[in-house]
Amino acid sequence: MISYKHLEFHPEKPTDNNEINQIIELVKVNLSEPYCIYTYRYFLNQCPQLCYIAYDDEKPKGQNIIAVSISKAETHQGVRVRGYLGMIAVDPAYRGKGIAKTLIDKSIDVMIDSYHCDEIVLETEVDNPQALNLYESFGFIRTRRLFRYYLNKNDAYRLVLPLTEKSTIRTYFL
Amino acid sequence: MSRHTNPAELNNLELDSWVDITQQFFETAKNVKHGNIVKLESLDLMEGTDAKEILNPALDTGLIEDESYDCDRDLTLDETVRVVANITSCLVTWLDSSSLPVTLFSCRYIEEILTRFSALLSSSTIVEKIFQVSNLQYSNKLDQSDSFTYRILRAYLIGVLNFTAFVLNIPVLKDEEDLNRVSMDLNIDLLLQFPQKDVADLVNSAYSLLEKRDDKNSKVLQLYFDILKRLQMLYPLSASVNQGDFQDTLFLHEATGFIDKLSEENDYIDSIPQIPHLFTRGIQKRKNNIFPPRPIKMHSFTICISYLHYLFDDLKLAMDVLCFQDAADLRNRLYIFGSKRNEKLPDQEHTSTHIVAALFLESILLRDGLILGAIPVSEFLKQDLSSLTAGESVVLSLLEDDKLTNDRAIKARASSLLQEMEKTYISWIQSFLQNPSKQRDFFLDSVVVWDTIQVTADDLETSLPDDYGLEDTFKSIQPDGSLSELPVMPLSSYVYYMKLDSMVQVVFRGIELEIYKPWEMYQMYWYGLYLLSTLESHIARMKDVAKYKLSKAEGESKDIWKKTLDHINFLIQETIVFKTLAQAQQYTWTILDNLKLLKLPKYNRTTPQLLYQLRMKPFSSVGIPQLPSIQHFQNFADEIAEGSLRFRTERERVQDICFRCSSAVRQLTTEVKTAASQLKKIHPSRGRFKADYERGVDQILRSSIGVAVFSTKVNKKIKDAEFVTQCLKENPSNQAYDVSLSRAQYHRFFRLRRLNI
C-alpha cells in the first residue's frame, strides 16, 4: 500500500530529521546533480506543502519513504506566480507504478489551488526520455534548450506548463 | 578570510580593529537544536544553496584523496610521450566545455608551474626575472635539468599554457558553458606576458632537438610540436587588421596533415601506461576552489584526434569567413559558419563551430567595435542595406549629404535609428558565432528588437516626402493589373526583412533543437510556412524595387542595383525552396493528424489554447506579421478536411484526405528538386562556401526525398481499411503506431518523421 502526504513543517519545532535524511538520500542516489543541505532546506522550509512524499506503508518508519517531489512557488519578476518542480526521485524498486505521476499531479494541484500559479516550470536533461515523456504527458512543453546546463555537461530542456494567460504574455507587457 | 590567505594579506587586514567572536559563536551554537534552521529574517535560504557541504563526498573537495607525485622524478622517453599526449587531450577536453581544474590543471607539472608563477607574482623583482625564459622557474627538475626529456616537456608545457592563456584572453565575451575560465587563483595570464618570441624560441629549440633524433618516440613528439607550432601561428594573426593575412591557411592545412600522421600512432600511444598520480583531482583540494569535486576529464587519443581536426577545420572556416568581399558576401559566409554542425563527434550533434574558431573569428571581425578593426559598423551596415533593399537610395546619404537636407531634426532621427540598427546588426553577426541553443536565443531576442526598430523606421520614412521633400518611389504592377507608385522605404523594408528572417530562424531552429513534440509539428510547420510565405512576398516587393530602380539607373548606379537584384534573386529562390519543402512537410503532418497518430498529452492539465499561446509567445507582440490565432490554424485544418465531406464514413473521409495530401506531397517534392537545382546555380559564393552551401542544399534534397518516400509508404498503408479503422479508434489499446523524429543525414530544419507500424 502506497500513501502520499506533504511534508509537515513547523518553524517552532525541529523538523523530523529522519524524514529529511531519507529524502536527501533518495535524491542523492537517483539524481545526477549534487545538492547541499541548504538546497533541501531552502525548498522544504519555503514550501513544505510542495514537498510531496510517497510512503510504502508496509515498511518500517525510517525506511518507508520511496519517492519524493520537491517544489516551490513564488512570484517571478514581480508579474506572475511561478511554480517550480525542483526534484523528483523514485526508488528504482518502485518505478513503473505511476508514483512519479501521482506526485506531479498532487504538486500541480497544490500549485493551482493554494499558490494560484500562472505557470509551472522545470528543467530536465535532454537525454532522459522517461522524464521528458512524463512531464510532457501533463502538457508541459519545451521552451528552450539550455546548452551544457548540468555539471555532467548535458543539455537541458526548460519545460513550462501554462496555467493562465499570464504565462503566455511577455513579461514586458504584464 | 580563507585558509589560503597568505601572510602578506594578513598583514594588511589591520587585525587590531577586529573582534574575536569565536568563543561567543560556539556558546550560542550550543543552544541550537539539531535540525533547526537559524537564520536572520533578512537572509534568504536561497543564498545558502551554493554552499559546499563539509563531509558530503559529492560536495566536499577536502575529502579528495591527495596522492603525491614527485615532479623531479626521472622520465623515460615513453613517459614523456604519455605526458605530452595527455596534456594535448586535456587541452582539447577543456575546449570542449570542461573546466581547467579537471583537465589541464589536473597535471601535477602544470600545477607546479602555475603555483610557482603565482607565488612569485607578489614580488615584482622576481616577476621581472621570470619574464626571461632562461630564468623560468617551475620545478627544480624542469628548470634546471638538462636532460632531454625535461627540456622537451618544459617547452611543450609552456607552449600549451601559453596557448591556453591566449584563448582565455581573446577579447570576446562567451558564456561559461562555452568556455570555462575557472583558474583557481592560478595566474595563467602571466604566461601571456612572456615575449612571444621567447616562448617560440623555447618550443623551436626543443623541436630542433627532436629533429636530430630517429627514434619513434621523438618522431611522435615532433608531431605534437608540429601541431602546437601551428596553434602559435594564430597569435600574430589575431592582432592583424590586414584582411589579406587571412588568405594564407597553409599552416592550418599542414596541421591537418600532422594530425593525420599522429592518428596512425594510436596503437603505440595506447600501449604506453599511464603515470600513476600525475593527473589527479588533488588540485581541487589544494587550491582555491568553489566547485564540488569533479572527476578528471580527458578525451581518449582517438577522440582527441577528432577534436584536433574539429579545431583546425573550423579555424580554416573562420579564416575563410574573414576573407569576405563585402557585406552581402559576409552574410552568406556567416550563415555557413553558423550552420555548421559536428555530427561526426560523439554527442555533439547540437554543437556548432569550435569555440576557438568562433572566438578567433569574432575577435577579429568585430575588433574594437569596427569590422576587421577598421571599417565602422555604420558603413558596413549601409553596404548590407544596399545589398538588400537600398541599392543606392537617397536615404543612405541622409546623414552626410547636406544637399539632400540640412535639417538637424531629421538628421538626428536618422542617426538615432541607424545607431539602433547598428547595435542589432552587431548582435545579428554575433548570433552566428554562438552555440546552436544560444543562436536561437539571439534570434528570439532580436525579433522584438527589430519589431520596435521597424516602428521608428516606418515613422521616419513616411515623414520624408511630406516633411522634407525627400521622395523615393517605385512603380509596381498590382494583382489587378494596375500600375501603382509606391514608396521604397528601404530602411523599413530592410528591418522588416531582418525581423521576418529572425522569426523564421526561431521556428526552424526549434525543430533542429527538438523543441517541439510530434503533436506540435503540424502547427509549427503551418506557422513556419505562413512566415516563409510572408517573407517571400516581402522579398518579391524588394525585387520589384530593385528591378524598377535598375531600369532607371545609369552608370555606376546600374551596377549597384544589378548586384542588389542578383542578391535578392538568390534570397527569393532560397525562400521558395524552404517554403515548398515546408509545405510538403506540413501535408505529411496533416496525414498523421487526421489518422490521429499525433498523441496529445495524456494527463493534460492545461488547454490547447494556452499551449498554443505559450508556444507562440515569442511572436505574440509582433505587429506585422500578426500572430494568427489557434482558430486560424483550426480553420486551415478544417478547410483541408472540407474537400472530403462527401464520404459516408469517417474512415473513407480520412482516407480521402490522406490520399489528397499524399498526392500534394509528391507534387511539392518534385518542385523542391527543380527549385533546389536552380538555387545551387545562383548561389553567389565561390570556392568552399559554394561547396558548403551545396552540401546544405543536398541535405534539403535528401529531406525532400525522405518526405516523398514516407508519403508513398503511408499512401500504401492508407489503402488498408483495417489500418485506418484501427488508427481512428478513440483509445487505441495498442501502441503499435508511434511517430518519432529522425535527424540523421537530413536537413536540420526538416527532420523526418518515422512511423513505426
Side-chain angles (χ1 to χ4, degrees):
Chain A
M1 178 72 179
I2 294 165
S3 61
Y4 300 86
K5 74 174 177 89
H6 66 72
L7 187 73
E8 297 290 338
F9 176 73
H10 302 286
E12 66 277 9
K13 70 173 187 184
T15 326
D16 182 344
N17 275 300
N18 185 285
E19 288 213 328
I20 301 263
N21 290 340
Q22 275 195 76
I23 290 169
I24 291 175
E25 194 54 33
L26 195 63
V27 172
K28 196 159 66 180
V29 171
N30 293 292
L31 299 188
S32 66
E33 290 284 289
Y35 299 106
C36 81
I37 182 74
Y38 289 108
T39 307
Y40 297 101
R41 289 291 185 183
Y42 167 66
F43 277 95
L44 305 185
N45 286 38
Q46 186 113 332
C47 304
Q49 260 191 300
L50 285 174
C51 173
Y52 253 98
I53 305 167
Y55 300 89
D56 180 343
D57 296 335
E58 285 160 24
K59 288 179 111 179
K61 201 177 176 206
Q63 299 164 30
N64 56 346
I65 294 183
I66 53 162
V68 64
S69 74
I70 300 174
S71 314
K72 65 171 179 171
E74 59 194 6
T75 305
H76 179 68
Q77 296 185 336
V79 291
R80 62 172 78 89
V81 183
R82 173 180 276 188
Y84 180 77
L85 281 169
M87 312 166 201
I88 291 190
V90 180
D91 183 329
Y94 291 84
R95 287 185 189 163
K97 297 178 191 295
I99 296 171
K101 190 230 154 213
T102 307
L103 289 172
I104 296 169
D105 222 14
K106 286 180 178 292
S107 300
I108 293 175
D109 283 342
V110 177
M111 286 181 187
I112 294 172
D113 299 337
S114 304
Y115 291 90
H116 308 294
C117 287
D118 297 301
E119 65 186 8
I120 304 172
V121 174
L122 62 94
E123 288 95 23
T124 191
E125 290 187 46
V126 295
D127 60 0
N128 188 349
Q130 290 88 353
L132 283 166
N133 283 334
L134 177 62
Y135 293 125
E136 287 166 347
S137 70
F138 285 94
F140 281 89
I141 58 172
R142 307 171 190 185
T143 56
R144 282 181 70 198
R145 188 177 176 117
L146 307 162
F147 187 68
R148 304 274 159 93
Y149 182 76
Y150 290 106
L151 284 176
N152 62 12
K153 295 204 315 183
N154 268 356
D155 289 2
Y157 282 120
R158 172 154 302 142
L159 272 70
V160 180
L161 178 70
L163 298 170
T164 73
E165 290 270 334
K166 273 192 173 180
S167 174
T168 70
I169 299 169
R170 281 175 168 266
T171 304
Y172 182 79
F173 297 100
L174 286 173
Chain B
M1 191 189 311
S2 82
R3 58 198 160 95
H4 305 289
T5 310
N6 67 36
E9 282 176 281
L10 272 175
N11 290 335
N12 293 332
L13 286 176
E14 296 176 13
L15 288 175
D16 292 348
S17 60
W18 288 52
V19 178
D20 184 353
I21 58 161
T22 313
Q23 201 53 41
Q24 197 183 337
F25 173 78
F26 282 121
E27 285 300 321
T28 313
K30 274 183 194 168
N31 300 320
V32 179
K33 286 180 188 166
H34 186 57
N36 257 11
I37 294 288
V38 180
K39 71 173 190 71
L40 283 174
E41 279 301 312
S42 56
L43 280 179
D44 191 325
L45 274 175
M46 181 68 183
E47 292 168 49
T49 57
D50 278 338
K52 298 295 162 277
E53 191 179 332
I54 292 169
L55 296 180
N56 180 342
L59 292 164
D60 186 357
T61 49
L63 299 179
I64 291 174
E65 200 177 328
D66 215 351
E67 296 143 329
S68 64
Y69 178 79
D70 176 11
C71 283
D72 292 334
R73 72 186 275 267
D74 288 327
L75 286 177
T76 65
L77 266 174
D78 270 352
E79 285 177 325
T80 310
V81 175
R82 169 50 60 212
V83 180
V84 165
N86 282 11
I87 286 291
T88 312
S89 284
C90 281
L91 176 68
V92 297
T93 312
W94 168 57
L95 294 171
D96 178 28
S97 303
S98 290
S99 72
L100 285 165
V102 301
T103 55
L104 283 170
F105 289 4
S106 71
C107 172
R108 292 303 298 259
Y109 291 122
I110 298 265
E111 183 185 347
E112 191 73 12
I113 291 171
L114 292 174
T115 304
R116 287 181 183 236
F117 281 179
S118 300
L120 291 171
L121 259 183
S122 55
S123 160
S124 59
T125 52
I126 301 176
V127 171
E128 281 163 21
K129 263 181 145 183
I130 62 170
F131 288 161
Q132 301 162 22
V133 171
S134 57
N135 287 336
L136 286 177
Q137 296 177 16
Y138 20 65
S139 139
N140 294 336
K141 189 88 175 192
L142 278 172
D143 188 37
Q144 293 160 12
S145 173
D146 284 331
S147 84
F148 172 73
T149 53
Y150 272 95
R151 289 176 71 183
I152 299 302
L153 198 55
R154 176 190 307 162
Y156 199 76
L157 294 175
I158 290 289
V160 167
L161 281 175
N162 194 229
F163 177 70
T164 307
F166 163 76
V167 172
L168 284 170
N169 283 278
I170 295 177
V172 166
L173 283 178
K174 283 280 173 199
D175 289 326
E176 194 72 357
E177 68 254 21
D178 290 306
L179 185 72
N180 192 297
R181 297 166 190 273
V182 173
S183 67
M184 313 182 92
D185 290 348
L186 293 171
N187 196 330
I188 196 163
D189 290 352
L190 188 63
L191 269 294
L192 272 191
Q193 295 176 36
F194 295 132
Q196 288 305 322
K197 187 182 170 303
D198 288 356
V199 179
D201 286 350
L202 189 72
V203 170
N204 287 336
S205 132
Y207 188 79
S208 304
L209 287 176
L210 291 168
E211 275 183 316
K212 290 175 192 153
R213 298 172 66 109
D214 274 335
D215 53 285
K216 186 179 183 65
N217 320 69
S218 300
K219 293 293 166 208
V220 171
L221 286 167
Q222 209 177 314
L223 288 171
Y224 277 108
F225 272 84
D226 278 320
I227 296 164
L228 177 62
K229 278 154 62 95
R230 269 61 193 180
L231 286 176
Q232 289 179 319
M233 289 181 191
L234 291 174
Y235 308 166
L237 273 175
S238 70
S240 173
V241 288
N242 178 8
Q243 205 179 9
D245 289 347
F246 305 110
Q247 283 170 359
D248 183 8
T249 54
L250 179 64
F251 72 102
L252 298 173
H253 289 277
E254 287 172 350
T256 302
F258 295 128
I259 298 164
D260 284 338
K261 275 190 191 166
L262 187 60
S263 70
E264 293 165 11
E265 303 298 338
N266 188 5
D267 291 344
Y268 161 61
I269 289 175
D270 275 355
S271 74
I272 309 172
Q274 291 292 340
I275 303 169
H277 311 316
L278 176 53
F279 289 82
T280 74
R281 297 194 304 159
I283 191 165
Q284 297 177 46
K285 178 182 186 175
R286 287 186 293 273
K287 299 293 174 192
N288 191 11
N289 183 18
I290 58 164
F291 294 98
R294 292 178 197 178
I296 293 172
K297 302 268 183 179
M298 192 191 300
H299 287 320
S300 68
F301 177 76
T302 320
I303 294 179
C304 174
I305 291 290
S306 302
Y307 270 85
L308 284 170
H309 274 302
Y310 170 31
L311 167 61
F312 281 98
D313 286 351
D314 286 354
L315 279 169
K316 271 180 240 164
L317 180 57
M319 295 269 282
D320 289 338
V321 171
L322 288 167
C323 297
F324 61 89
Q325 305 290 317
D326 51 31
D329 190 29
L330 176 64
R331 178 177 279 272
N332 292 330
R333 290 176 187 226
L334 282 174
Y335 267 102
I336 299 278
F337 190 87
S339 304
K340 188 168 181 285
R341 299 291 178 265
N342 290 288
E343 298 192 343
K344 286 180 190 164
L345 293 167
D347 304 323
Q348 297 289 318
E349 73 245 24
H350 291 300
T351 305
S352 50
T353 39
H354 195 283
I355 181 69
V356 175
L359 287 167
F360 179 76
L361 176 55
E362 186 177 345
S363 68
I364 294 167
L365 189 58
L366 294 170
R367 181 178 298 135
D368 303 327
L370 299 167
I371 301 289
L372 290 173
I375 312 165
V377 176
S378 55
E379 286 305 309
F380 210 71
L381 174 61
K382 280 184 190 172
Q383 261 190 41
D384 202 46
L385 273 158
S386 172
S387 76
L388 276 173
T389 57
E392 54 146 29
S393 290
V394 289
V395 74
L396 293 179
S397 316
L398 198 62
L399 288 180
E400 299 83 15
D401 192 348
D402 282 345
K403 285 180 197 155
L404 285 174
T405 177
N406 55 10
D407 185 296
R408 282 188 184 173
I410 188 69
K411 281 182 188 276
R413 283 172 67 190
S415 170
S416 159
L417 170 64
L418 285 171
Q419 276 173 21
E420 283 305 307
M421 288 173 70
E422 248 179 79
K423 271 192 267 176
T424 319
Y425 180 68
I426 291 173
S427 177
W428 174 81
I429 290 177
Q430 288 170 323
S431 65
F432 295 100
L433 314 175
Q434 311 295 323
N435 66 59
S437 302
K438 267 276 178 329
Q439 284 186 17
R440 183 171 184 266
D441 290 348
F442 264 68
F443 283 115
L444 208 143
D445 293 342
S446 74
V447 169
V448 178
V449 181
W450 285 123
D451 192 49
T452 310
I453 294 176
Q454 195 183 351
V455 175
T456 317
D458 276 351
D459 281 353
L460 177 81
E461 290 186 310
T462 46
S463 70
L464 286 178
D466 293 341
D467 297 352
Y468 305 98
L470 293 170
E471 200 144 23
D472 191 6
T473 58
F474 72 107
K475 286 182 181 161
S476 171
I477 298 167
Q478 298 304 294
D480 62 4
S482 63
L483 193 66
S484 285
E485 189 164 357
L486 301 164
V488 173
M489 301 185 69
L491 299 181
S492 183
S493 176
Y494 175 88
V495 173
Y496 187 43
Y497 171 81
M498 295 297 274
K499 180 174 76 176
L500 284 171
D501 184 55
S502 298
M503 292 170 83
V504 167
Q505 297 293 333
V506 173
V507 170
F508 285 92
R509 282 165 192 270
I511 292 168
E512 176 189 12
L513 295 171
E514 297 166 89
I515 297 281
Y516 318 124
K517 291 288 282 182
W519 63 265
E520 294 179 274
M521 293 296 269
Y522 186 14
Q523 267 177 8
M524 293 321 291
Y525 273 113
W526 167 76
Y527 182 60
L529 189 58
Y530 165 71
L531 291 177
L532 284 165
S533 301
T534 312
L535 181 64
E536 187 191 7
S537 304
H538 183 60
I539 304 175
R541 182 189 187 277
M542 286 156 55
K543 186 175 174 175
D544 283 349
V545 171
K547 273 168 73 179
Y548 177 80
K549 293 288 183 182
L550 179 62
S551 70
K552 304 284 172 197
E554 287 176 356
E556 201 182 319
S557 177
K558 211 172 180 75
D559 295 339
I560 294 171
W561 281 109
K562 170 79 174 59
K563 211 171 161 185
T564 305
L565 186 60
D566 286 347
H567 190 195
I568 291 171
N569 278 332
F570 159 68
L571 292 176
I572 208 163
Q573 190 63 24
E574 186 180 57
T575 308
I576 287 169
V577 170
F578 274 74
K579 196 189 94 172
T580 313
L581 184 52
Q583 199 168 6
Q585 288 267 5
Q586 180 198 255
Y587 277 122
T588 60
W589 290 104
T590 310
I591 294 172
L592 295 171
D593 184 53
N594 277 281
L595 286 171
K596 299 197 185 309
L597 287 172
L598 303 178
K599 294 187 182 76
L600 293 167
K602 205 170 164 186
Y603 317 115
N604 199 4
R605 298 294 304 261
T606 187
T607 65
Q609 170 83 21
L610 284 175
L611 285 174
Y612 177 83
Q613 286 174 214
L614 177 65
R615 175 56 75 214
M616 299 302 183
K617 189 173 168 179
F619 316 111
S620 59
S621 64
V622 173
I624 307 170
Q626 199 175 18
L627 177 67
S629 68
I630 191 169
Q631 194 52 49
H632 282 97
F633 171 68
Q634 205 46 59
N635 292 346
F636 164 80
D638 291 346
E639 272 170 32
I640 291 184
E642 265 173 26
S644 305
L645 288 178
R646 63 187 184 281
F647 292 94
R648 279 187 304 118
T649 68
E650 176 69 357
R651 175 184 58 77
E652 287 172 331
R653 192 181 71 82
V654 168
Q655 276 178 310
D656 183 63
I657 293 169
C658 295
F659 287 138
R660 283 192 292 117
C661 289
S662 186
S663 166
V665 169
R666 279 195 298 279
Q667 173 64 32
L668 288 162
T669 49
T670 309
E671 288 174 25
V672 170
K673 195 176 168 187
T674 315
S677 127
Q678 180 63 17
L679 180 62
K680 276 186 178 182
K681 281 183 199 157
I682 62 170
H683 186 264
S685 295
R686 297 279 170 270
R688 79 163 295 170
F689 288 98
K690 191 163 181 68
D692 284 352
Y693 188 81
E694 285 180 354
R695 259 194 296 280
V697 177
D698 288 340
Q699 281 187 333
I700 287 180
L701 285 169
R702 215 170 4 246
S703 286
S704 179
I705 292 166
V707 171
V709 169
F710 173 85
S711 163
T712 307
K713 277 186 185 170
V714 171
N715 205 34
K716 276 185 195 162
K717 201 72 192 164
I718 294 163
K719 288 174 187 159
D720 177 356
E722 182 51 33
F723 166 76
V724 179
T725 308
Q726 186 66 26
C727 288
L728 296 178
K729 277 187 180 170
E730 279 295 306
N731 284 307
S733 54
N734 61 66
Q735 294 290 315
Y737 316 128
D738 180 37
V739 179
S740 59
L741 291 163
S742 168
R743 54 181 173 253
Q745 302 299 310
Y746 298 118
H747 191 279
R748 57 207 172 92
F749 293 171
F750 300 101
R751 300 281 163 84
L752 268 266
R753 86 269 327 108
R754 192 187 296 122
L755 182 58
N756 303 317
I757 299 172

